[in-house]
Each structure stands twice: as structure tokens, then as C-alpha cells.
Amino acid sequence: MQSLVQWGLDSYDYLQNAPPGFFPRLGVIGFAGLIGLLLARGSKIKKLVYPPGFMGLAASLYYPQQAIVFAQVSGERLYDW
């Protein structure tokens, strides 16, 4: 419980002192998720795949180095599995 409270306090402090450009990026990534929800009408599988996919694509535009590392690690884990 204490670690959960500490995580909440750390998150609050980070959002109070966010780096420049953080909130516009967060808005674009969130908007991409909403677009994914709108395009995923009809299928439950699409509703599970499109929003995270669009959000991941938007996030990879803003954070390319982290996206490359994430893709490499995910690929290695998938290959090992």
C-alpha cells in the first residue's frame, strides 16, 4: 500500500513539474487512441488492437529511441517464446 501511495505522489510531482512539451505530446497520443476507437467500430478484436496501435504509432513519432528499444526487446522475447 505504501508503494502505491508513493507511486501516486511521484506521479503527481512529475505532472506538476513536467518537461516542456509533455502535455501537447500527451494530447496527441491520447487523440490517436480516440481515433483508434472511432475506427474500430463493429469488431471487439479491432477495439482491442486499434487504439493501442494508434497510440503506439503516435508515441513512436515523439520517442523514436524508446520505440526502437521496445521493438527490439519485444522481438527477442517473442522469438524466445
Side-chain angles (χ1 to χ4, degrees):
M1 190 58 140
Q2 289 177 345
S3 64
L4 182 62
V5 170
Q6 186 61 41
W7 177 79
L9 292 173
D10 291 341
S11 299
Y12 178 77
D13 288 338
Y14 181 78
L15 291 176
Q16 290 299 320
N17 302 317
F22 175 76
F23 290 113
R25 290 177 180 182
L26 185 66
V28 169
I29 294 169
F31 184 70
L34 290 174
I35 295 296
L37 277 175
L38 291 174
L39 294 177
R41 282 190 241 153
S43 173
K44 290 182 181 181
I45 294 175
K46 285 182 184 178
K47 287 181 183 177
L48 291 173
V49 173
Y50 280 17
F54 279 105
M55 289 174 73
L57 183 64
S60 69
L61 294 174
Y62 285 116
Y63 304 104
Q65 293 295 332
Q66 289 86 348
I68 291 169
V69 170
F70 179 78
Q72 288 174 343
V73 170
S74 298
E76 290 172 2
R77 287 187 182 171
L78 184 63
Y79 182 74
D80 290 341
W81 182 63

